[in-house]
Amino acid sequence: MSTQAPTAAPTVSSAARSSSAARSSSTTRSLLTCAVVASPLWAVVSLTQAATRQGFDITRHPLSALSNGSLGWLQITNFLLAGTLLVLGASGLHRALRGTPGGTWAPRLVRIGGLGMIAAGAFVMDPVDGFPAGAPSAEAAALTWHSYAHFAAGSVTFTSLIAACYVLGRHFGRAGNRRYAQASRVAGTALLIGNGWAMGGGRAGTLTLAVGAVTAMLWISVVARRSRRGV
């Protein structure tokens, strides 16, 4: 009498595991794609408006001021969409960096930064320094509550992105990738200095802030793209 053990069950189990892993990898890549496109999208839409909207001067007006005026809905949507993509992309980074140094906090900080962008889009800052056209050139005696909320959201976003870049610097440093480690720290420092200069009332501070913010955000996209290739 034959006592040979059945072999079908292990084969099915192996196929199921393979299929599940494939679905998981596909989901991770899709989430990382969100992080890849979020920052370039925000930068292109913001800088295009900065170059074309009447009365806007990037050396005097922050990119957030573009949320005002008849075309303000473009920048509001830009903030909301880019923030949502960063929140989703953070989940992809969590999957891709899980178990590595910085693999927990870098995605968390990116997610917080995305939430801050969503809040910055929801709460519009007041018109500033003659923008949009027709707005008073003198600073208002008191800011509105939604302007305060916008500045608070911006502070959360900038602080989170700075910290995320430094955590990624540690991540790549521990992995022996000096080039990416240094680039991560440079990106974080660019935003740290740009924001600090602007907050201190430095000349053309809105320009240094824009450069720092775009640099740090684009670096997050570069890291997400690199992680996507490894999934």
Side-chain angles (χ1 to χ4, degrees):
M1 182 176 179
S2 173
T3 58
Q4 183 178 1
T7 59
T11 301
V12 172
S13 177
S14 177
R17 285 196 298 269
S18 177
S19 176
S20 176
R23 287 195 300 271
S24 178
S25 295
S26 178
T27 300
T28 301
R29 284 193 295 270
S30 296
L31 290 170
L32 286 169
T33 299
C34 292
V36 171
V37 303
S39 299
L41 171 68
W42 186 86
V44 168
V45 173
S46 296
L47 296 178
T48 299
Q49 291 185 85
T52 58
R53 287 190 61 181
Q54 182 180 3
F56 187 87
D57 182 352
I58 198 170
T59 66
R60 294 166 44 227
H61 305 131
L63 293 174
S64 292
L66 292 165
S67 295
N68 287 287
S70 61
L71 294 177
W73 64 270
L74 284 171
Q75 189 68 343
I76 293 172
T77 303
N78 192 27
F79 271 112
L80 296 176
L81 181 56
T84 300
L85 289 172
L86 275 181
V87 170
L88 293 172
S91 297
L93 285 171
H94 173 72
R95 288 165 170 250
L97 303 180
R98 183 182 303 163
T100 65
T104 297
W105 273 104
R108 285 180 180 175
L109 290 164
V110 171
R111 181 176 291 109
I112 293 171
L115 292 172
M117 291 190 73
I118 293 172
F123 302 109
V124 178
M125 69 173 289
D126 296 337
V128 60
D129 198 9
F131 183 84
S137 57
E139 185 175 350
L143 297 177
T144 59
W145 67 269
H146 50 82
S147 195
Y148 279 116
H150 179 88
F151 292 139
S155 295
V156 169
T157 299
F158 297 146
T159 302
S160 299
L161 292 177
I162 291 167
C165 286
Y166 285 130
V167 172
L168 287 171
R170 175 176 177 269
H171 165 78
F172 288 116
R174 292 286 295 274
N177 191 333
R178 290 186 59 189
R179 185 164 64 93
Y180 270 70
Q182 290 173 350
S184 296
R185 296 179 185 119
V186 167
T189 302
L191 180 51
L192 178 65
I193 293 175
N195 186 45
W197 183 256
M199 294 293 291
R203 184 177 178 84
T206 52
L207 175 60
T208 64
L209 175 57
V211 171
V214 170
T215 300
M217 289 178 66
L218 290 180
W219 182 246
I220 298 298
S221 289
V222 170
V223 172
R225 184 172 182 271
R226 183 181 187 276
S227 299
R228 190 180 187 279
R229 290 200 303 266
V231 174

